[in-house]
Each structure stands twice: as structure tokens, then as C-alpha cells.
Amino acid sequence: MKTDRQKLQLRVRAAGGALRQTGSTGKRRRRGKRRGETWLQGYCSARASEPPPAGVPVPTRSMAAGGIPTDEEQATGLEKIIMKAMKEGTDPYNMMKPKSFAGSKADPHLVPSITNKRIVGCVCEEDNTSVVWFWLHEGEAQRCPSCGSHYKLVAHELPH
């Protein structure tokens, strides 16, 4: 059984390609081959201006007629769900920056969770380098033990 390269070499020879036997090593080489050039590159560059010979298939681009598909057309699975949700204006996996709240008892910071508790980190002052960590439980709003900002746990459903 012949390999793909051997089949292509036979087609090139049948189409009148300028291949020849060189030396006693049996290596085939195109006449006038430049250094580092393969026989196929040499054949293609020499024949680029000529129409393809009969019997040699002409390569075509499969998407040339319809163009390149967009991200929305190619997306599948979770990526597609996320893209649809982002178009609708929702943030299914909390990837965007959360909305800012005052942090008061009347307007607490809302923390989404799929369970009934979650660890929250509060950077109490803007230039503070340490984070105060505490558990936030379902129910009433809770205060940060250091600065007094209020946080409230809200239920969050994953889209899948």
C-alpha cells in the first residue's frame, strides 16, 4: 500500500512535474531546488502561475462560501449558556464585579451562595493590607467584626 506522499509524487510525475533521480542514494529532488526547500514546495512555487494539470485535485477552503462562524455560532455547552445569559444581562457565575451597596443595615452588601453559609473577606479600609475573614450565615444581615459593614447571604442557583 502506498503512502499519501508516494501517491502525491505519482500524481506530480503524471502531471509533468520536474522530478528526477539524483545520485546513487535514490533521493528524489526537484531541479533548481533551493536550500531547505522540500520537493513539494519547489513544485508548488514553480507551478503557481500555471493552471493545475488534469487529474490533480485543486485544494479549496471548506468555509469560503459561508465565512468564518462567530463565537455565538460555535459555542456549545456551558460556554453557550454563559453567552446567552450575558446577552440577557444576567451574570450566571458571578464573573463580573458585584454591584456596590452602602453596607448599612438597611442596604447590606449582598453575597450570593449556593449553600446556607459562606466565608466572606472584608477589606475594611481602602488602603488596608489585611483582610478580615468571617462566616456569613443565612438569615439576617451580619456585621463585619472589624469595621461594622453589613452583609447578607442570598440564595443563588447555578444555571446547569
Side-chain angles (χ1 to χ4, degrees), residues 77-153:
L78 288 176
E79 183 183 16
K80 191 171 193 172
I81 293 170
I82 291 170
M83 289 180 130
K84 283 183 180 179
M86 294 298 249
K87 277 188 174 181
E88 294 169 3
T90 59
D91 188 15
Y93 293 103
N94 299 321
M95 296 185 300
M96 307 301 279
K97 182 181 176 191
K99 297 175 185 169
S100 61
F101 296 95
S104 63
K105 191 167 189 172
D107 188 22
H109 297 288
L110 300 179
V111 179
S113 177
I114 58 172
T115 61
N116 61 354
K117 62 183 176 179
R118 186 169 176 179
I119 291 181
V120 176
C122 180
V123 180
C124 300
E125 297 172 12
E126 190 174 320
D127 59 345
N128 202 354
T129 58
S130 62
V131 179
V132 178
W133 297 98
F134 61 97
W135 279 100
L136 185 62
H137 296 274
E138 197 173 35
E140 292 291 318
Q142 296 173 345
R143 289 182 54 187
C144 169
S146 179
C147 68
S149 289
H150 286 77
Y151 294 86
K152 183 173 181 170
L153 196 72

